[in-house]
Amino acid sequence: MHQIEVSVVLPAKNEAKNLSSLLGEIVHSVTPEHAEIIVVDDGSDDDTSTLIATLAGGFPLMLRVITHPRSCGQSTSVYHGVLAAQGKWIVTLDADGQNDPADIPKLIETAKQVNSPHFCVIGYRQKRKDTRWKRVQSKVANRIRQYVLDDDTPDTGCGLKLLPRRTFLLLPYFDHMHRYIPALTKRLGGNIVCVPVNHRARHEGQSNYNAWNRGWAGIVDMLGVRWLMYRNKLDSINEIFTHEK
């Protein structure tokens, strides 16, 4: 049996119309015998679960599904996916099809060059296909976040990320924590590497976020993350001496 190297964690809520083509793209972006896909169905009331069950029979790599009876949010979905993952590296991306799976190999190759036990390779979306209003919101939020958290990324909201599973499991879990993975990784002393990635328009469905649930919750969470970073006392160990008789 081949060892799983990469676990692609895909949080999905009412994305049945996007999942079929997206899963096919993911298959072509990873080495099947060394990868798995974990779809976390976050309380969907469309045909997400039925679709995945239909695909699973002839799928060319390991496909697993975690189902939330009711919606728990994206961070909880990612967290449960990572807990179930078998790969040493976690790749996350949004299930709406706007993140391009063709960029996954670029993240993997970048990760291979990082000389640090803890790190996060995060996408930097180029030529975003969102509405002008959404781009303005994101631009303002990213500038504020960079100023407050100094998280070494201009686009922390990009869903396409890669980090070691062991790094993720050391991060404090809370609702909306997926937006602060670079800052929380940096809190561990980890490296943050930004990689330019493609961004696509959403063709089906609608976003689960709006200005209200991004804005107000973001301010509260950002201040909480800043407090965590300020209170961090993590330091390195220079030497461990063991005396044996």
Side-chain angles (χ1 to χ4, degrees):
M1 183 176 179
H2 295 286
Q3 182 179 2
I4 300 297
E5 181 179 57
V6 177
S7 295
V8 180
V9 176
L10 200 61
K13 180 181 179 182
N14 294 333
E15 298 289 2
K17 293 181 179 179
N18 293 309
L19 272 176
S20 182
S21 59
L22 183 62
L23 290 172
E25 289 182 283
I26 293 173
V27 168
H28 287 94
S29 70
V30 296
T31 306
E33 62 267 27
H34 297 295
E36 65 176 352
I37 300 176
I38 301 174
V39 180
V40 184
D41 181 5
D42 189 34
S44 298
D45 54 18
D46 63 356
D47 296 326
T48 296
S49 294
T50 302
L51 169 68
I52 298 171
T54 302
L55 291 172
F59 214 66
L61 74 160
M62 187 182 296
L63 174 63
R64 293 190 285 154
V65 183
I66 297 171
T67 302
H68 292 160
R70 60 180 181 275
S71 180
C72 299
Q74 187 169 345
S75 286
T76 303
S77 297
V78 172
Y79 179 70
H80 286 164
V82 174
L83 288 181
Q86 299 178 36
K88 69 173 184 177
W89 287 340
I90 302 296
V91 172
T92 67
L93 70 160
D94 296 333
D96 56 13
Q98 291 195 264
N99 298 140
D100 190 347
D103 287 314
I104 293 177
K106 188 189 303 184
L107 269 65
I108 293 173
E109 288 305 311
T110 301
K112 291 177 180 179
Q113 306 303 315
V114 179
N115 186 24
S116 175
H118 301 300
F119 63 88
C120 174
V121 181
I122 180 170
Y124 178 18
R125 293 169 287 186
Q126 307 293 293
K127 299 180 180 179
R128 290 186 60 175
K129 304 300 182 182
D130 293 319
T131 63
R132 179 176 175 80
W133 171 234
K134 193 170 182 180
R135 292 198 306 270
V136 169
Q137 292 178 61
S138 182
K139 188 174 183 179
V140 171
N142 276 312
R143 285 186 175 180
I144 294 173
R145 218 167 2 232
Q146 287 180 69
Y147 176 77
V148 175
L149 301 179
D150 188 25
D151 57 5
D152 295 341
T153 173
D155 189 15
T156 191
C158 181
L160 189 57
K161 302 179 181 74
L162 182 153
L163 66 166
R165 181 175 182 268
R166 66 172 184 157
T167 297
F168 187 97
L169 294 177
L170 289 174
L171 305 182
Y173 162 74
F174 54 89
D175 196 18
H176 303 301
M177 62 85 70
H178 69 278
R179 300 178 186 173
Y180 302 97
I181 286 177
L184 295 171
T185 301
K186 188 174 178 181
R187 176 176 175 264
L188 291 176
N191 293 347
I192 311 302
V193 184
C194 296
V195 176
V197 296
N198 187 31
H199 191 245
R200 310 185 293 192
R202 173 189 272 273
H203 295 296
E204 301 286 353
Q206 60 184 11
S207 174
N208 296 307
Y209 293 105
N210 54 48
W212 173 255
N213 60 26
R214 283 179 184 271
W216 172 245
I219 292 172
V220 174
D221 293 336
M222 183 171 55
L223 294 176
V225 172
R226 180 58 191 156
W227 181 87
L228 284 171
M229 296 175 76
Y230 175 74
R231 300 295 293 177
N232 185 37
K233 296 297 182 183
L234 183 67
D235 202 352
S236 59
I237 298 174
N238 291 329
E239 182 179 0
I240 297 177
F241 177 76
T242 303
H243 174 70
E244 294 183 2
K245 293 183 179 181

